Amino acid sequence: MSGPTSLDDVRRRIDELDARLTALLAERQRLVRAAAAFKTDEQAVRAPDRVERVVTAARERAEREGLSPEVAEAVWRAMIGAFVEYELTEHRQRG
């Protein structure tokens, strides 16, 4: 793919990526909802050790792909935090 030719082109490409990211996040949410059924308590939902492994893996992938590891970590921590809250709600509703 060639480089962007204008600010409008950059924005169009970002919008396309955002659409793809939204679809992937929706898939992740479906899996998070499914995971809630397998967890017995809120500590299992929070899973701090798992969070750290996921963030470490995201940083490593970022380095390989040319993404700032700091950006990757910030994005993954925000995403995980939002999904943990979502999963806690799902878990509580299941009782």
Side-chain angles (χ1 to χ4, degrees), residues 4-36:
T5 58
S6 67
L7 181 56
D8 285 341
D9 188 26
V10 169
R11 288 177 174 163
R12 180 187 55 76
R13 291 180 189 203
I14 287 172
D15 291 346
E16 289 170 359
L17 284 172
D18 287 348
R20 290 169 38 203
L21 287 169
T22 300
L24 290 170
L25 289 170
E27 182 178 347
R28 193 180 202 283
Q29 180 176 290
R30 287 188 289 277
L31 292 169
V32 165
R33 186 180 304 126

Side-chain angles (χ1 to χ4, degrees), residues 51-70:
V51 170
E52 292 311 310
R53 287 193 308 273
V54 170
V55 169
T56 297
R59 288 182 63 91
E60 291 169 356
R61 283 191 307 272
E63 284 226 26
R64 288 193 304 271
E65 295 295 329
L67 171 64
S68 161
E70 292 78 17

